[in-house]
Amino acid sequence: MFISMFGAVESGVIYAIMALGVYLTFRVLDFPDLTVDGSFVTGAAVAALSIVNGVPPVLATIFALLAGFIAGCITGLLHTKGKVNALLSGILMMTALYSINLRILGQPTLSMLNESTVFTQLSSFWSMTGIDTALNGLLSTLGLERFPKTWGIVFVMLVVTIVIKFVTDYYLKTEVGLALRAIGDNKRMIRSLSANTDNLTIVGVGISNGLVALSGALIGQLGGFADVNMGIGMIVIGLASVIIGEALFGTKTIARATLAVIGGAIIYRIIVTLALRVDFLETGDMKMITAIIVIFALVGPRILQMRKEKKRRMLKRQQLSAESGGKNHA
């Protein structure tokens, strides 16, 4: 059980980067971008091809981020310059990326199991610190018998994700970032202030898909392969992370909202892991589980809000009846 939960947190921290990208388009820009399903695979494919051809893993990961940024910019161009509907432009780019990703990989699946990746290098360095031995020794005293292969991935990726979170917070508070937020709230207003909304939208969607591709590159290296179908449903996973995080942690400030997205991604992976341990559920049911989680995350807060509103109305009626009864008695 502990190993399963540890794996859920480990992958959840990496998926949180993708969720931050989804947050930028859906919440900040109010742009329903479906490019995510394709750009996630693009990141994994570019990283895998680069690593197989001898490119250093860190540089290959950067190439993946740039490829995702370019894909997002093309989606933005289709919408802003081509005047294509936002939803349709994302669908068109996602469809095109399937063939592009297949071209990049050269085959449906490209393995990196025998190659040096970011995580194999990290694990070899981390093993020399002795931290794994100390933590596993502590767990053994608590009665646990199975331990993670390494704690380095979850610790380092948590730091990387938090750094990306703070950079995102800072960016959204700059002049350009404030303009991006204004576009999502009222595009006509920001356009009346002579801001170039087209360029800002293109850059915003590009950054979003760059983060998604970065997450895809890291997930591919973590699993040891890149598959042309590994991006199916990624947009739903990203939305689930955003919605769960917002429902649990709130969105009063940008810093709190981005932290909520990270927390939502980790909690989502934990929920899926727990759900898959139920006897009658199988791995093939993962998409159904994701849909159910999103439904509960969307409907649950509304039901709670309705109950609070009902209680508030009942209390107000009781107060009014008590006041009217007191006046009649007088």
Side-chain angles (χ1 to χ4, degrees), residues 173-226:
K173 291 177 182 177
T174 62
E175 185 176 346
V176 176
L178 289 171
L180 281 175
R181 292 160 62 184
I183 289 173
D185 291 333
N186 193 329
K187 185 179 287 188
R188 289 184 178 180
M189 182 273 291
I190 191 67
R191 189 174 290 167
S192 67
L193 299 175
S194 301
N196 193 324
T197 56
D198 287 355
N199 289 346
L200 288 171
T201 301
I202 292 168
V203 171
V205 178
I207 293 173
S208 169
N209 283 278
L211 292 176
V212 172
L214 174 61
S215 178
L218 293 171
I219 288 293
Q221 292 178 72
L222 182 67
F225 70 95

Side-chain angles (χ1 to χ4, degrees), residues 74-285:
I74 294 173
T75 301
L77 282 168
L78 285 173
H79 172 59
T80 57
K81 306 301 182 182
K83 305 303 178 184
V84 180
N85 176 272
L87 187 63
L88 182 57
S89 61
I91 293 173
L92 289 171
M93 194 60 202
M94 176 187 67
T95 305
L97 282 175
Y98 183 88
S99 297
I100 294 171
N101 294 332
L102 194 56
R103 283 275 187 173
I104 294 172
L105 291 171
Q107 53 190 324
T109 304
L110 185 60
S111 175
M112 293 180 280
L113 291 176
N114 298 322
E115 305 292 337
S116 175
T117 65
V118 168
F119 296 119
T120 58
Q121 293 180 351
L122 175 61
S123 298
S124 61
F125 169 78
W126 190 266
S127 61
M128 295 186 294
T129 63
I131 296 176
D132 286 342
T133 304
L135 291 175
N136 291 339
L138 178 62
L139 290 177
S140 63
T141 59
L142 298 175
L144 293 177
E145 297 179 355
R146 297 181 61 192
F147 312 112
K149 292 182 179 179
T150 178
W151 292 77
I153 295 175
V154 68
F155 284 150
V156 173
M157 287 314 306
L158 185 60
V159 171
V160 171
T161 303
I162 293 298
V163 169
I164 293 174
K165 173 232 180 319
F166 282 123
V167 171
T168 303
D169 293 345
Y170 174 77
Y171 177 73
L172 291 176
K173 291 177 182 177
T174 62
E175 185 176 346
V176 176
L178 289 171
L180 281 175
R181 292 160 62 184
I183 289 173
D185 291 333
N186 193 329
K187 185 179 287 188
R188 289 184 178 180
M189 182 273 291
I190 191 67
R191 189 174 290 167
S192 67
L193 299 175
S194 301
N196 193 324
T197 56
D198 287 355
N199 289 346
L200 288 171
T201 301
I202 292 168
V203 171
V205 178
I207 293 173
S208 169
N209 283 278
L211 292 176
V212 172
L214 174 61
S215 178
L218 293 171
I219 288 293
Q221 292 178 72
L222 182 67
F225 70 95
D227 186 87
V228 73
N229 294 313
M230 67 188 295
I232 296 175
M234 280 301 131
I235 185 60
V236 180
I237 294 174
L239 282 174
S241 302
V242 172
I243 293 167
I244 291 171
E246 289 179 345
L248 293 177
F249 304 106
T251 58
K252 289 185 177 180
T253 62
I254 288 293
R256 186 171 177 177
T258 51
L259 184 62
V261 170
I262 295 172
I266 296 172
I267 291 170
Y268 166 79
R269 298 306 303 181
I270 292 174
I271 293 172
V272 170
T273 301
L274 290 173
L276 291 176
R277 293 180 69 87
V278 178
D279 292 335
F280 62 87
L281 291 176
E282 301 176 358
T283 306
D285 298 325

Side-chain angles (χ1 to χ4, degrees), residues 291-306:
I292 293 172
I293 291 171
V294 174
I295 291 170
F296 273 111
L298 286 171
V299 176
R302 294 185 181 182
I303 293 175
L304 292 174
Q305 185 64 30
M306 288 173 63

